[in-house]
Amino acid sequence: MAHGSSCGHDHHNHGVAGHALAAELAAAEARCTAAEQRLTAPRRRVLELLLEAGQPVKAYDLISTFGGEGPPAKPPTVYRALDFLEKQGFAHRIESLNAYVACRKEADGHAAAFLICDCCGATREIEPKASAEIIAAGAAAGYALTGVTIEAHGLCADCKAG
């Protein structure tokens, strides 16, 4: 995902590679097996791309890089994979960016809050304490909430210092 380059400093990548990437994918495979789900090749490839990116990625960027040196994936393939990854807790959609980011937390159905750098695009997932209050308020209003996602924009420490 492209971000402003007017910051005047190097932008950093917090993606996963090598043995760490292999371990993340193996853990995802194990979680799917335990949940009686299949991490098919397209689902695995989309998760791999999200983990490697380490920042939010738009679906069409995933489509174009899906095939590597070969042809890009068909949009339905990537969108179906993203839908599966979201439902299984492997990815989150960041609405304000219209992008997706890998979720490396193992808790099922956890609330998600994102700190999003508007300069470099670094995104950090944190556990929001306010989510319990939101869920309780929803219940009091008669809602059965299935998820809470909070997005906060600003500058990361590196961009703020840069």
Side-chain angles (χ1 to χ4, degrees):
M1 166 165 194
H3 287 84
S5 58
S6 61
C7 295
H9 62 274
D10 290 333
H11 292 162
H12 34 273
N13 180 351
H14 299 285
V16 181
H19 293 298
L21 177 61
E24 291 277 353
L25 293 171
E29 185 75 48
R31 279 177 56 194
C32 282
T33 300
E36 298 182 358
Q37 298 291 326
R38 290 187 55 230
L39 189 63
T40 62
R43 293 169 177 173
R44 181 182 175 90
R45 177 65 177 146
V46 170
L47 179 58
E48 178 182 27
L49 292 171
L50 290 173
L51 288 165
E52 287 174 337
Q55 64 182 10
V57 182
K58 292 187 178 285
Y60 272 87
D61 292 333
L62 292 169
I63 290 166
S64 67
T65 58
F66 183 92
E69 297 295 318
K74 300 219 181 306
T77 300
V78 171
Y79 281 109
R80 281 193 298 266
L82 287 167
D83 183 56
F84 172 85
L85 294 172
E86 277 188 280
K87 286 179 180 170
Q88 298 304 313
F90 295 115
H92 294 288
R93 182 165 192 263
I94 299 181
E95 296 289 333
S96 64
L97 302 176
N98 193 25
Y100 298 84
V101 65
C103 177
R104 297 173 62 193
K105 304 204 181 290
E106 293 200 30
D108 289 334
H110 72 279
F114 294 96
L115 305 175
I116 304 164
C117 181
D118 291 326
C119 177
C120 71
T123 303
R124 182 172 172 200
E125 183 176 351
I126 61 172
E127 291 288 333
K129 291 184 176 28
S131 64
E133 293 175 28
I134 295 169
I135 292 169
Y143 286 76
L145 300 179
T146 57
V148 175
T149 303
I150 300 168
E151 301 177 23
H153 288 263
L155 295 178
C156 69
D158 291 340
C159 292
K160 183 179 164 192

